[in-house]
Amino acid sequence: MSDHEDEMKALAMQRLATTYAGLVACCENLPLPIALPTGLVSNLDMIPVVRRIEQLADEQPMPEEQQSQLYTGAILWLAATDLYMLLVTEEYQEVRASGILGILMIARDAITDLGTWLLEQSS
């Protein structure tokens, strides 16, 4: 395996983790908080909980735009996780690595926007 492939896999994993951390922070501060696993947790622990977020997003007492940001952040993180599993279990494909990073950029933007709104509501 090339250094580039290793670097892309490591970058994808790091971005998955930081995006998840942002999702955790937002979920803790929702009008109806949702607790997510933290610390050393596996995808087996995180994925079902994030799936539950997308089911509960429209029940949060907040504007539709913020519900959408929560939903978008959750489902795109899940999509990126699925792609990451393919990236590490199948033959390396640059398009998969790039796809993960692109999907996570959109997820991170949605989570950041939601986090900004949540901060504004708390002040």
Side-chain angles (χ1 to χ4, degrees), residues 68-95:
S68 176
Q69 291 163 344
L70 177 60
Y71 180 84
T72 298
I75 63 165
L76 291 181
W77 183 85
L78 287 167
T81 300
D82 287 346
L83 268 180
Y84 182 78
M85 297 309 259
L86 288 172
L87 184 71
V88 298
T89 60
E90 302 292 327
E91 180 180 342
Y92 179 84
Q93 299 277 328
E94 186 72 18
V95 69

